[in-house]
Amino acid sequence: KSLERNIKTIIKTGTGYGPEFLPVLRETKNILKRINKGKPNAEHYFQLGTLCLELEDNQMALDAFKTGYQLNKNHLNCGTYSALLLEQQEKWSEALSIYKELNSLDPENIHIAERMLLIFYTQKDIKNVLTHCYYFLDRKLYYPSIYYYLSQIFYDCSDTEKAIEYLQNALMLDNDNN
């Protein structure tokens, strides 16, 4: 409710935002009214989060996405946006936790798999990169990025023969490089 009042004040006074933000502010006010008057659902919070991103308020967006995700753990968009914003804040374990939950809901979503692998690789967690890459391959998820990660790990470990083998697999699957 206080957020809704603040948005109304901003709309009336124009404080803090230029006129180009007025349509977004009005839309935000409308979503907040729906949330405050009825039974909000995850989609309402997803819409609020995307509007907060347009208003360049990442923390408020994160709060909205997290709330939406808590209301409905099957809402992939709320979960994904929450995890991405957590990554920006370098809250790797929180982001990874959400990605793992999302991966269990949608194991063939390569974008989620790639985010997990990126976090593991960035943190130099070789064991988890290998474990998850082989897990995805066992599930018959043959994506170039999986092979690229395997190639990079083996290259980092000075096993160039294995690195080349995985890189060749990646290149064969990568239509953009053919």
Side-chain angles (χ1 to χ4, degrees), residues 2-154:
S2 66
L3 181 57
E4 185 180 344
R5 279 192 299 274
N6 290 342
I7 296 286
K8 283 181 185 177
T9 304
I10 290 169
I11 290 171
K12 285 179 188 172
T13 64
T15 313
Y17 293 96
E20 67 273 12
F21 286 100
L22 279 177
V24 177
L25 289 166
R26 286 188 184 106
E27 229 179 301
T28 303
K29 183 182 83 173
N30 292 336
I31 292 289
L32 286 167
K33 277 183 181 179
R34 278 187 248 151
I35 288 172
N36 291 331
K37 285 186 179 177
K39 287 196 168 206
N41 60 39
E43 189 58 29
H44 290 130
Y45 283 100
F46 176 71
Q47 292 169 0
L48 177 61
T50 56
L51 291 168
C52 290
L53 287 176
E54 287 183 53
L55 294 171
E56 300 171 2
D57 191 332
N58 286 1
Q59 185 57 51
M60 197 181 305
L62 175 59
D63 293 341
F65 293 133
K66 278 177 142 180
T67 302
Y69 187 61
Q70 288 170 351
L71 286 174
N72 180 359
K73 293 284 188 181
N74 292 324
H75 201 287
L76 291 175
N77 288 332
C78 279
T80 302
Y81 276 84
S82 294
L84 288 169
L85 288 169
L86 287 166
E87 277 186 66
Q88 284 182 348
Q89 296 177 1
E90 296 184 7
K91 295 183 178 179
W92 307 115
S93 61
E94 280 184 70
L96 198 52
S97 174
I98 292 173
Y99 286 135
K100 286 179 180 179
E101 288 175 1
L102 294 173
N103 183 256
S104 69
L105 293 172
D106 189 6
E108 298 200 13
N109 187 325
I110 187 60
H111 302 294
I112 294 168
E114 288 172 337
R115 298 311 305 173
M116 290 171 58
L117 291 170
L118 176 65
I119 291 171
F120 290 137
Y121 187 76
T122 301
Q123 294 183 324
K124 301 188 184 318
D125 187 344
I126 295 171
K127 179 182 175 191
N128 268 318
V129 173
L130 291 173
T131 300
H132 284 80
C133 281
Y134 289 130
Y135 168 80
F136 293 128
L137 292 177
D138 287 345
R139 295 184 83 155
K140 310 240 184 290
L141 295 171
Y142 304 123
Y143 293 104
S145 57
I146 305 270
Y147 289 104
Y148 282 127
Y149 276 106
L150 286 169
S151 175
Q152 190 61 48
I153 289 295
F154 282 99

